[in-house]
Amino acid sequence: MASAPWPERVPRLLARRLPSYPPPPPTVGLPSMEQEETYLELYLDQCSAQDGLAPPRSPLFSPVAPYDMYILNASNPDTAFNSNPEVKETSGDFSSVDLSFLPDEVTQENKDQPVISKHETEENSESQSPQSRLPSPSEQDVGLGLNSSSLSNSHSQLHPGDTDSVQPPPEKPNSDSLSLASITPMTPMTPISECCGIVPQLQNIVSTVNLACKLDLKKIALQAKNAEYNPKRFAAVIMRIREPRTTALIFSSGKMVCTGAKSEEQSRLAARKYARVVQKLGFPARFLDFKIQNMVGSCDVRFPIRLEGLVLTHQQFSSYEPELFPGLIYRMVKPRIVLLIFVSGKVVLTGAKERSEIYEAFENIYPILKGFKKA
Amino acid sequence: MPGRGRCPDCGSTELVEDSHYSQSQLVCSDCGCVITEGVLTTTFSDEGNLREVTYSRSTGENEQVSRSQQRGLRRVRDLCRVLQLPPTFEDTAVAYYQQAYRHSGIRAARLQKKEVLVGCCVLITCRQHNWPLTMGAICTLLYADLDVFSSTYMQIVKLLGLDVPSLCLAELVKTYCSSFKLFQASPSVPAKYVEDKEKMLSRTMQLVELANETWLVTGRHPLPIITAATFLAWQSLQPADRLSCSLARFCKLANVDLPYPASSRLQELLAVLLRMAEQLAWLRVLRLDKRSVVKHIGDLLQHRQSLVRSAFRDGTAEVETREKEPPGWGQGQGEGEVGNNSLGLPQGKRPASPALLLPPCMLKSPKRICPVPPVSTVTGDENISDSEIEQYLRTPQEVRDFQRAQAARQAATSVPNPP
């Protein structure tokens, strides 16, 4: 996941390679991974120039397809790669293919053409018509972002059948390049909210840490100004600091719970400050096993939601009891997050251990909520 | 003899009890087949009905069922009978209770929770048959706290993995409205306050549907809305005599508790009706207010579909573009209003531009604007200065002062009051 998302690589290679287009015939021998990607990007640029599309960020484009096949169709019909029989044999039946990821308009437009991806169909419909079949379901799997092992399999299927000038490329680099392309359909680390500009804000982080020493709570309550200790009510010292504004529960076993921070780093800093306070009071406090236990986020979709409708269609996940609570409690399975959805459009997400879970949960719920936008 | 079963041979129900050598037998009068000999009820069936059977004669079946479970099952049956539910509900509720009892968390729960569980099982059964039983009603019957009830209910629904449908609003309206004691004259209800049940029911239904459409029902407790709707329906059927009666007095007359939110629901409903009235030309000139609009509720309800469409515009699109209201909002209006514009009425006579159709919580301005927190650049590994930590610690002098103050306080509280 450390590699850059796909579109960022295009501008750099474009500047370098464009003057020498069309690419030299592949009699030179099959290019290395670098050059393969160059061809790929060149094809993308060319297609986008043709269609007048936005810069070719085609995260679903499958590099497994023998791209040379596409390139020649556009401009060089007489290149040796024209009729690559191996491509056709891999295009089997599409009954097992899951097209549910595609938006409705694409599948309807291209019913006669086997569909690969949103972007590709638009790009390829002009350049592909003479070609009989587009690549196999396995490449559509690439578009869905499946694991690279299946990609490398299909890739090895196609390449050995190529013309003799083509050396079978080593599998590993190809699977790397394939995996690069297949990254983007998965949930990104940063919240690139494609559907909307709304990003959930974190409101509360609960974390625990082990100070690894027995503590004398009475002494702590006596010597610390910001501590309160009422053993009859609760068996822990409640300590507060101003920056970051948090509260900690410190138990005599040495375990501590820190709540109220607005980000993971703030929570960690606050927990360290509490540990420092305990240290200064004379205890041999350490800082072991810091763990974020819960994260709470909230956001506003800014339109009213018909909760009665939502509970009817998503009954297995939702619980809506207006006699008890005005909001709908939605228990999402993947990721395992509980959402409180209110009629005003405000959504509270809780139960996350990672920030990405909150973003992912909101990305999942937003299309569902949009479906209930109209009264 | 009816109710004794059928003959296994010929299937007739004509069974006669006869005694043969002082042993009573059940004989089919058609074919003569002897069905049973001896007494028909057995200890087994006695125990099944949870009747006490002496230990020496018991079959031991109920020993598998613990006493508290037996008590709970009896309570379930009693509750079903008190609520006068159909007999099939009883068996379903008992089955749910038994199913719940199989979980160790329920078996080990406190008695209070087991009591409330009885109510939960009955509630789930009623919900599944669209029987409009509210949680408040069950809590009143069981003398239970709504919080305890709510936690037990949520737990049991999750535990048993049940799909419980929502409360059926239409059924609730019928049941709740019928409980108002206004359909017959009595010493407390003067003749002009008596109303026909059917008319009131239908008008209340229409008002509740209107409230549902205009976002007054979602997220709120259903009962206060129905109370407000019943009140408005009752008032509008004879406004001349009834406008003077307040909501509180109405509920007292009808012998129904007034739920606290009902008055604010009433105001919200009246506001919606006023907005709708603005769209009717002959009502606009009357300049209605919250009291006078009641007289015209009948007309408003008759045309409610088109009036709601014209009186309110879709709140969703408008939330972002609140400022960009087009001046000549001609096309959005219903059939009655286009004529107005074509007649060239002056600006003041044009119907008010449509209000946003949003839940009341979205129409109110926020109490305080929550500022977006600035992006913090905290890494979590910064250095923590000593001075920052020391601000939280007491100096030795402060510690001594604090201890002295604490001791003084303890001494003061422990000294008994002077006689």
Side-chain angles (χ1 to χ4, degrees), chain B residues 14-35:
Chain B
E14 299 301 316
L15 307 175
V16 179
E17 204 172 76
D18 196 15
S19 35
H20 179 73
Y21 298 122
S22 80
Q23 188 192 41
S24 66
Q25 286 179 342
L26 202 63
V27 183
C28 169
S29 56
D30 283 345
C31 68
C33 161
V34 174
I35 295 153

Side-chain angles (χ1 to χ4, degrees), chain A residues 32 66 101 110 113 118 127 133 140 146 178 201 213 225 243 246 294 305 312 332 355 364 366 374:
Chain A
S32 65
F101 68 101
N110 298 294
Q113 279 185 355
K118 291 187 260 246
S127 52
R133 303 288 273 179
Q140 293 180 319
L146 287 185
L178 302 177
Q201 295 293 326
C213 67
K225 275 194 233 181
E243 182 56 45
T246 49
N294 185 27
I305 301 166
L312 276 178
M332 197 176 277
R355 190 187 276 250
N364 290 349
Y366 189 75
K374 288 285 176 270

Side-chain angles (χ1 to χ4, degrees), chain B residues 328-348:
Chain B
W329 192 260
Q331 51 273 38
Q333 294 157 355
E335 45 281 8
E337 296 69 59
V338 178
N340 279 343
N341 285 341
S342 61
L343 288 175
L345 284 173
Q347 280 286 70

